């Protein structure tokens, strides 16, 4: 009831308030952007080189490569999923997952 | 073939990105496979409003430049089935948007998605023109305020003259008006243009009126499209607007001040 | 595009009178493109187009082509760098003697430009040599220009300039006057000077005895 709220003393903003949430999100995403602002956009290149190495050993379908990124406070993960072709006549899929983890600066 | 919808306004800060996020989520909630694209190259914000900023690997510009495949750049929403986000580049500028490049992406998306929502940057320069060029329908986001109304008129002129439909002499882009940040109390006091004033000047059909609401800021703070906050007036108004877009006949809510009880009036507090 | 009708290329007064005309409105004419109309020349007369071109240049006009006339004249013009341009209006027949006795010649028709969509802010529409009819509203910040009359079957919020090349009989009509500015043959009035009995009313605007006259279509209290 609003009328009771009115008599309650003013409270400091709660830690889980939406503004707090906003600040936290901005800090994470902007730290990453600042770090990479002047550097080259390395992800496309990384993907190409990675594929080139793997292609030396197995036949890779360029259209079956998935790259996922998740950034958080402590740790960022980059996940590259490359689907490898089956050597058997019947089409059964194998998946190789390459996972790399790196601490954020 | 999917429908391409541009969210546009001319003026900045009127709620294009909020509306793009809300409409895309609204379509997906109703089972339509939808993608929302950020055209504001260099000033990426849709990812923040959609809450997927930590998951951006590749972007629209990477796809245009052939540095990544389209499906690699599409981010699947974690909350709503059928919803995808195509973020833009934060480091490049609007020149990265070539007509051929955008067209190739649009053609590919049309095959996969029912609705393709283009979140336009402000202004009438390249980014905004590219966002509206391929549109089948346009949602013109307007605030009840003189500069916003005039800028909307200007962008409607652009839609009529500079869209692909106009250039090819096809049927014109279907136009819808979405009036945002509407404050019925200030309208009643005569401090703000009312719905009919704006409709009279712009002369296009009204899709919805989104009331000024604290829920909008709260939603963008936490990265959840406001339409998912179904307790808020703004969320409900967006849900209504999406339903109208899909052909439902609904009365416009939130255009009159809510009746308030004696206590809340005495105390002068609002929720 | 401006058209210069040549009646007699040998006339001594042609260019002096032309430069007088240009001096009256130097900004309007400065470096304007001009098409030479050869319709009134006899078929056999071939003139020195190079000379005409140079003398027009002295008047700050640029000859860009010819219209009307005959094959020999076209060839001479082409040698002087003036191509044949298609005539922008129906061939005028009123100046010539009637082709056949008893046959009535219809009066020249002025091309009318009809626009049926809303004219939005930032757009400019010009009806050269004729009337402009808009069957929708005209937004603030839009501009209508016509050498003849302007009709707006909707609210006029932008600017309307009729009689652009000096026709003082041109008029402006609109269903609701909320214009920023109206002008006929160069005489203009801005909205600050509009009186309450014409604002948001059906209005016609014309020149009367040299004054711009804005009057409601229907007497007040009809």
């Amino acid at each position: 009831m609003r009328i009771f709220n009115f008599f309650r003393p003013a409270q400091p903003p709660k830690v889980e308030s939406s503004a707090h949430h906003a600040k936290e999100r901005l800090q994470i995403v902007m730290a990453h952007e600042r770090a990479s602002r002047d550097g080259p956009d390395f992800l496309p290149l990384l993907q190409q080189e990675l594929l080139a190495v793997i292609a030396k050993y197995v036949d890779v379908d360029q259209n079956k490569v998935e790259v996922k990124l998740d950034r958080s406070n402590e740790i960022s993960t980059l996940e590259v999923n490359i689907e490898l072709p089956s050597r058997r006549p019947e089409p059964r899929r194998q998946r190789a997952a390459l996972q790399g983890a790196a601490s954020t600066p | 073939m999917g429908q391409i919808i541009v969210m546009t306004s001319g003026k900045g800060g009127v709620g294009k990105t909020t509306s793009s996020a809300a409409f895309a989520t609204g379509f997906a909630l109703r089972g339509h496979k939808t993608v929302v694209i950020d055209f504001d190259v260099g000033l990426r914000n849709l990812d923040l409003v959609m809450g997927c900023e930590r998951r951006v690997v590749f972007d629209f510009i990477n796809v245009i430049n052939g540095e990544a495949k389209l499906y690699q750049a599409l981010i699947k929403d974690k909350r709503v089935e059928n919803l995808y986000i195509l973020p833009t580049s934060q480091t490049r500028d609007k020149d990265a948007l070539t007509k051929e490049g955008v067209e190739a992406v649009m053609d590919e998306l049309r095959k996969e998605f029912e609705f393709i929502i283009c979140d336009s940057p402000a202004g009438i320069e390249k980014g905004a023109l590219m966002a509206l060029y391929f549109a089948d329908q346009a949602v013109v986001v307007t605030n009840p305020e003189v500069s916003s109304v005039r800028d909307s008129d200007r962008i409607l002129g652009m839609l009529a003259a500079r869209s692909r439909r106009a250039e090819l002499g096809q049927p014109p882009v279907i136009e819808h008006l979405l009036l945002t940040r509407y404050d019925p109390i200030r309208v009643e006091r005569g401090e703000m243009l009312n719905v009919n004033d704006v409709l009279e000047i712009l002369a296009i059909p009204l899709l919805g009126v989104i009331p000024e609401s604290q829920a909008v800021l709260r939603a963008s703070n936490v990265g959840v499209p406001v339409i998912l906050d179904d307790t808020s007036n703004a969320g409900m108004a967006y849900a209504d607007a999406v339903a109208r877009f899909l052909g439902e006949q609904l009365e416009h809510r939130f255009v009159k001040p809510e009746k308030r009880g004696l206590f809340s009036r005495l105390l002068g507090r609002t929720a | 595009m401006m058209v210069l009708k040549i009646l007699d290329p040998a006339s001594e007064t042609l260019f002096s009178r032309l430069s007088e005309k240009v001096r009256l409105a130097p900004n309007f004419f400065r470096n304007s493109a001009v098409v030479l109309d050869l319709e009134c020349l006899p078929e056999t007369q071939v003139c020195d187009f190079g000379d005409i071109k140079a003398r027009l240049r002295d008047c700050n006009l640029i000859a860009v082509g010819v219209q009307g006339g005959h094959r020999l004249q076209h060839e001479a013009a082409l040698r002087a760098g003036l191509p044949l341009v298609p005539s922008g209006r129906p061939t005028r027949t009123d100046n010539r003697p009637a082709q056949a006795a008893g046959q009535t010649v219809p009066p020249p028709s002025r091309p009318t430009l009809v626009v049926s969509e809303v004219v939005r802010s930032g757009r400019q529409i010009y009806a050269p040599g004729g009337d402009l009819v808009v069957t929708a509203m005209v937004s603030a910040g839009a501009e209508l220009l016509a050498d003849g009359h302007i009709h707006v079957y909707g609210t006029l919020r932008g600017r309307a300039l009729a009689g652009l090349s000096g026709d003082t009989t041109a008029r402006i009509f609109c269903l609701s006057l909320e214009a920023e500015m109206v002008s006929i043959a160069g005489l203009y009035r801005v909205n600050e000077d509009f009186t309450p009995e014409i604002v948001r009313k059906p209005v016609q605007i014309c020149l009367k005895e040299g004054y711009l006259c804005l009057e409601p279509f229907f007497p007040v209290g009809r």
Side-chain angles (χ1 to χ4, degrees), chain B residues 5-12 14-17 19-20 117-125 127-133 135 137-143 148 151-159 173-180 202 204:
Chain B
I5 304 162
V6 61
M7 285 280 171
T8 186
S9 70
K11 193 176 185 308
V14 296
K16 284 182 294 296
T17 301
S19 300
S20 297
I117 297 182
C118 304
D119 181 21
S120 172
I124 52 170
E125 281 81 39
L129 289 178
M130 286 312 297
L132 69 78
Y133 187 71
Q137 307 207 33
V139 175
V140 178
V141 184
T142 307
N143 290 168
S148 171
D151 291 357
S152 293
D153 190 69
R154 185 92 168 90
I155 213 79
L156 281 163
M158 293 285 190
L159 280 163
V173 178
I174 299 169
E175 301 157 339
H176 308 270
L177 177 66
L178 186 69
L179 201 53
T180 54
L202 292 180
I204 59 170

Side-chain angles (χ1 to χ4, degrees), chain B residues 37-154:
Chain B
I37 310 174
D38 193 343
F39 270 80
D40 204 348
V41 185
L43 295 168
R44 173 163 87 200
N45 276 323
L46 180 68
D47 56 332
L48 278 171
V49 174
M50 291 296 296
C52 65
E53 74 280 0
R54 298 182 195 184
R55 297 167 58 209
V56 177
V57 189
F58 297 120
D59 57 52
F60 190 20
I61 304 302
N62 288 139
V63 179
I64 287 177
N65 292 344
E67 296 156 345
K69 297 272 186 278
L70 179 58
Y71 76 93
Q72 292 178 321
L74 287 171
I75 300 176
K76 191 178 183 326
D77 191 86
K78 283 185 172 169
R79 299 158 298 223
V80 182
E81 196 61 21
N82 295 318
L83 179 57
Y84 291 79
I85 299 112
L86 183 54
T88 194
S89 166
Q90 179 72 338
T91 49
R92 319 274 179 98
D93 61 33
K94 307 279 192 279
D95 289 333
L97 291 170
T98 60
K99 204 173 262 186
E100 298 71 29
V102 176
E103 181 169 23
V105 175
M106 291 292 165
D107 286 346
E108 212 171 326
L109 289 173
R110 266 183 197 272
K111 291 181 214 147
E112 285 284 316
F113 292 90
E114 278 180 80
F115 292 113
I116 299 142
I117 297 182
C118 304
D119 181 21
S120 172
I124 52 170
E125 281 81 39
K126 189 164 189 187
L129 289 178
M130 286 312 297
L132 69 78
Y133 187 71
F134 295 96
D136 301 305
Q137 307 207 33
V139 175
V140 178
V141 184
T142 307
N143 290 168
E145 179 260 320
V146 285
S147 55
S148 171
V149 174
R150 179 199 261 186
D151 291 357
S152 293
D153 190 69
R154 185 92 168 90

Side-chain angles (χ1 to χ4, degrees), chain C:
Chain C
M1 186 86 77
M2 228 176 300
V3 175
L4 180 67
K5 198 165 205 160
I6 300 194
L7 301 172
D8 176 13
S11 161
E12 279 307 310
T13 54
L14 171 63
F15 289 100
S16 59
R17 280 167 59 193
L18 192 64
S19 58
E20 250 170 58
K21 192 95 188 159
V22 171
R23 252 199 310 278
L24 286 176
N27 286 327
F28 184 78
F29 287 109
R30 179 170 300 147
N31 293 331
S32 291
V34 172
V35 173
L36 305 174
D37 189 331
L38 312 178
E39 215 172 289
C40 296
L41 289 184
E43 191 169 342
T44 50
Q45 186 170 9
V46 176
C47 38
D48 183 352
F49 287 105
D51 179 52
I52 295 179
K53 227 173 127 176
R55 294 176 77 166
L56 281 174
R57 197 71 202 89
D58 293 338
C59 302
N60 263 334
L61 297 170
I62 303 167
V64 295
V66 295
Q67 67 179 33
H70 299 277
R71 197 175 54 84
L72 281 177
Q73 294 160 345
H74 296 162
E75 282 167 3
L78 204 57
R79 278 194 295 276
L82 297 173
L84 179 68
V85 295
S87 177
R89 57 195 160 76
T91 318
R92 294 171 67 139
T93 50
D94 55 331
N95 290 342
R96 296 195 201 161
Q99 288 107 331
Q103 197 179 337
T104 52
V105 179
S109 66
R110 295 209 288 183
T112 299
L113 181 60
V114 180
V115 175
S116 45
E117 76 269 20
V118 175
V119 184
R120 303 279 179 190
S121 178
R123 206 166 156 209
Q124 188 190 58
I125 297 181
Y126 177 36
D131 299 346
L132 174 58
V133 177
V134 180
T135 60
M137 80 175 193
V138 178
S139 295
E143 199 166 60
L144 304 182
L145 310 168
D147 289 329
H149 309 300
I150 294 177
H151 303 248
V152 179
Y153 298 103
T155 304
L156 171 59
R157 296 198 174 88
R159 298 150 170 246
L161 294 84
L164 197 66
S165 39
D167 182 357
T168 53
T169 64
R171 294 184 182 203
I172 298 171
F173 307 86
C174 65
L175 289 191
S176 177
L177 179 73
E178 295 172 36
E180 296 162 331
M181 192 260 265
V182 291
S183 156
I184 290 174
L187 283 143
Y188 68 92
R189 193 166 299 175
V190 294
N191 55 5
E192 288 168 15
D193 307 328
F194 294 170
T195 51
E197 49 301 353
I198 52 165
V199 172
R200 291 173 186 267
K201 302 273 168 29
V203 168
Q204 76 160 318
I205 300 154
C206 55
L207 281 182
K208 278 186 185 164
E209 290 156 5
Y211 287 97
L212 197 64
C213 185
L214 292 81
E215 53 198 27
F217 263 145
F218 312 108
V220 182
R222 169 175 56 115

Side-chain angles (χ1 to χ4, degrees), chain A residues 2-3 5-6 18-19 21-22 25-26 28-29 33 37 41 43-44 47 62-73 78, chain B residues 44 47-49 51 53-58 62 67-69 71-72 78 90-92 218 220-223 263-264 267 269 271:
Chain A
R2 234 173 261 139
I3 188 161
N5 290 342
F6 182 68
S18 79
H21 206 108
R25 292 173 64 214
L26 282 172
I28 294 168
V29 68
E33 279 176 12
R37 185 164 298 162
D41 192 1
L43 277 170
Q47 189 197 334
Q62 299 275 345
N63 287 314
K64 293 191 172 146
V65 183
E66 239 180 274
V67 185
K68 282 185 189 162
L69 180 72
D70 206 340
R71 290 168 171 155
S72 63
N73 257 340
L78 177 71
Chain B
R44 173 163 87 200
D47 56 332
L48 278 171
V49 174
E53 74 280 0
R54 298 182 195 184
R55 297 167 58 209
V56 177
V57 189
F58 297 120
N62 288 139
E67 296 156 345
K69 297 272 186 278
Y71 76 93
Q72 292 178 321
K78 283 185 172 169
Q90 179 72 338
T91 49
R92 319 274 179 98
R218 204 158 55 224
S220 77
N221 277 347
V222 295
F263 273 127
S264 62
L267 300 174
R269 287 192 157 195

Side-chain angles (χ1 to χ4, degrees), chain A residues 82-101:
Chain A
I82 301 172
E83 197 176 306
L84 300 178
S86 169
R87 294 208 177 269
R88 301 197 192 159
E90 72 266 34
R92 254 180 66 191
R93 286 175 172 180
Q94 294 176 355
R95 284 196 146 225
L98 262 157
Q99 268 201 0

